[in-house]
Amino acid sequence: MTTMHKEYRFIDCTEKYHSVMQFDKNKNVFVHRWYPFVEGYSKEFIEDILEELPFVPTCALEPFCGSGTTPVELQNHGIKCYSFEVSPFMHLLSIVKLGRNYNVDTFEHYVKALTKKLSHTNKDIRRIESLPFGNTIVKRDQSKKWNFHDPAIDGVLDIRHAIRTIVDNDNYKNLFTIALASIIIQASNMFRNGKCLSYKKGWENRIFSRKEIHNFFLDKLNSIFAEDIRIISNQNSSVHNSKICYLGDVRKNINQVPDGKVDLIITSPPYLNSRDYTDIYMLELKVLQLINSYEELRQLRKHTLRSHVQVPYDKILPIENERLRNSLLAMSNKELDTWNHHIINMICAYFEDMQLLFSEFAKKMHKGGVIYFNVANSAYYGVEVPVDYIIADIAESCGFKVREIRKARDLKTSPQQSDKIGKLRESVIVIDYK
């Protein structure tokens, strides 16, 4: 079925959504503050959805878990949620935040042991803890830039070694590993700059000692982690502990979800903006040894949603959709001298992935279920791609009924598009399964 020129109910909800669509509001929120995630929405977005639903959900699905905001908040409301995450780091972060079996006495026991271990570290830590792979981790001959100064990476390796040798319980080992992850950017010479990692201003002379790195870690444990573990320890009997978070590509693993059981989907898939999240969280993936070679990195990228051009795809034909066809036609009339000629293929692949997902959603949901799908429009070659409307078309072609498209906020375009396109719309598509 091809949906041509269908108009949907469009509502400007910028006043309602402009603040809750940013994870920044989670920076000081219980459990979510354990790791400073850049992308994603706040817990208020989930709460707002639950308040407006005319029913109490019993089974939810989050196909792009990210840092775990959706399943964590649904768990807090006693709602079962199947979630999926392809990044091993984000998956680890999610299952740690979903954990509800931490005990304050056990936590404090391990913190004391780690503190003692870090007061007597091995002078040559690299003999027992290997450096992350890659040529830019530390300064080498002819290096012009490097990710960590030597004392900083040695301090990080001290902590990694202490966690491995002291903590003999996997749940707590994962918890302390996330605490380590939360200081990796702080310890490095890098900062997150939109689509990638960039070097901090004055990084050459900003050198932390090993002891300072240890203190970053221990201070984090003794402040926000300790406070939240005390709360969790008191909640043990009242909060359901549900770690239904699968590691892997949701396109291949969604069969883990039983058919006809889901009544709520809340998600924000990777936007069609050429952003590769493995790049943005590369230091965590490497330092925590979640990927250990360029081949492992390539395989991880191959299993992500096709929203970037870091790996080549076979030639993809566009799905049957008039809005998409018009966008591609407008692009083909431009002089295609942009930074990557694989972009049009990526655009086609992205919507093919969306079509596959919605066909699977139709199997997993039962009648009366609702989807809240957070996306943003894109621009390439000076042409805006109406991602929200195309996805709305796809949803209806798979048997859903689009209730409305809500404008959440305006996003800046990339520098390449800013002189041709104004701001890009971020939307929440509300979709019913009748």
Side-chain angles (χ1 to χ4, degrees), residues 49 110 254 325:
I49 289 171
Y110 283 128
I254 198 169
R325 187 163 58 247

Side-chain angles (χ1 to χ4, degrees), residues 185-418:
I185 286 291
Q186 182 183 8
S188 77
N189 302 328
M190 317 295 290
F191 75 100
R192 292 192 175 92
N193 179 22
K195 293 185 178 182
C196 60
L197 293 172
S198 298
Y199 281 85
K200 299 169 182 172
K201 186 176 181 180
W203 66 271
E204 302 94 330
N205 301 313
R206 185 176 170 276
I207 302 175
F208 294 116
S209 68
R210 286 172 77 168
K211 197 64 191 172
E212 285 176 309
I213 302 300
H214 301 165
N215 288 337
F216 291 160
F217 172 70
L218 294 173
D219 288 348
K220 194 68 78 77
L221 289 180
N222 287 310
S223 57
I224 64 170
F225 277 85
E227 291 172 13
D228 290 354
I229 296 303
R230 287 190 195 98
I231 295 170
I232 290 172
S233 191
N234 292 330
Q235 285 180 339
N236 267 346
S237 60
S238 60
V239 178
H240 177 58
N241 182 27
S242 173
K243 291 187 182 180
I244 315 174
C245 184
Y246 296 100
L247 174 61
D249 182 354
V250 65
R251 295 167 300 178
K252 297 180 178 178
N253 298 312
I254 198 169
N255 58 354
Q256 302 283 346
V257 181
D259 290 352
K261 297 294 185 183
V262 174
D263 52 15
L264 177 65
I265 296 176
I266 306 174
T267 194
S268 181
Y271 294 167
L272 183 59
N273 58 8
S274 306
R275 180 174 295 182
D276 179 6
Y277 294 95
T278 57
D279 277 350
I280 301 171
Y281 297 96
M282 185 67 71
L283 291 186
E284 289 83 354
L285 287 165
K286 287 183 174 183
V287 169
L288 303 182
Q289 295 185 311
L290 297 169
I291 56 170
N292 294 291
S293 68
Y294 288 110
E295 176 57 24
E296 288 183 18
L297 175 59
R298 191 178 74 85
Q299 289 301 319
L300 174 57
R301 284 174 169 156
K302 281 178 64 176
H303 289 97
T304 58
L305 193 78
R306 292 178 291 180
S307 61
H308 58 82
V309 291
Q310 291 284 38
V311 289
Y313 313 127
D314 293 336
K315 180 66 176 176
I316 306 294
L317 295 175
I319 63 169
E320 286 295 320
N321 182 278
E322 187 161 340
R323 292 183 225 269
L324 175 58
R325 187 163 58 247
N326 290 342
S327 294
L328 295 176
L329 180 61
M331 291 178 199
S332 69
N333 292 330
K334 304 282 183 176
E335 184 179 347
L336 303 186
D337 58 353
T338 190
W339 58 276
N340 196 302
H341 67 277
H342 294 297
I343 284 179
I344 288 189
N345 206 40
M346 173 196 73
I347 294 170
C348 294
Y350 183 83
F351 290 113
E352 184 177 78
D353 283 347
M354 288 295 149
Q355 192 169 62
L356 182 152
L357 283 171
F358 274 92
S359 66
E360 290 296 323
F361 293 165
K363 299 173 188 175
K364 304 306 171 186
M365 297 195 82
H366 64 67
K367 301 299 182 183
V370 187
I371 300 175
Y372 290 81
F373 211 76
N374 172 222
V375 295
N377 291 350
S378 302
Y380 295 101
Y381 311 118
V383 176
E384 183 170 357
V385 182
V387 175
D388 50 5
Y389 275 84
I390 296 172
I391 289 177
D393 292 343
I394 290 171
E396 294 226 333
S397 75
C398 293
F400 293 91
K401 177 67 176 175
V402 173
R403 185 191 310 173
E404 60 200 23
I405 297 176
R406 301 174 179 176
K407 179 181 177 181
R409 56 178 173 154
D410 288 316
L411 302 176
K412 292 180 180 178
T413 56
S414 66
Q416 299 97 321
Q417 306 297 326
S418 59

Side-chain angles (χ1 to χ4, degrees), residues 21-22 29 76 127 130 133 186 208 340 362 369 378 395 411 432:
M21 299 308 295
Q22 301 177 55
V29 173
N76 289 340
R127 294 187 61 149
S130 59
F133 81 93
Q186 182 183 8
F208 294 116
N340 196 302
S378 302
L411 302 176
D432 296 307

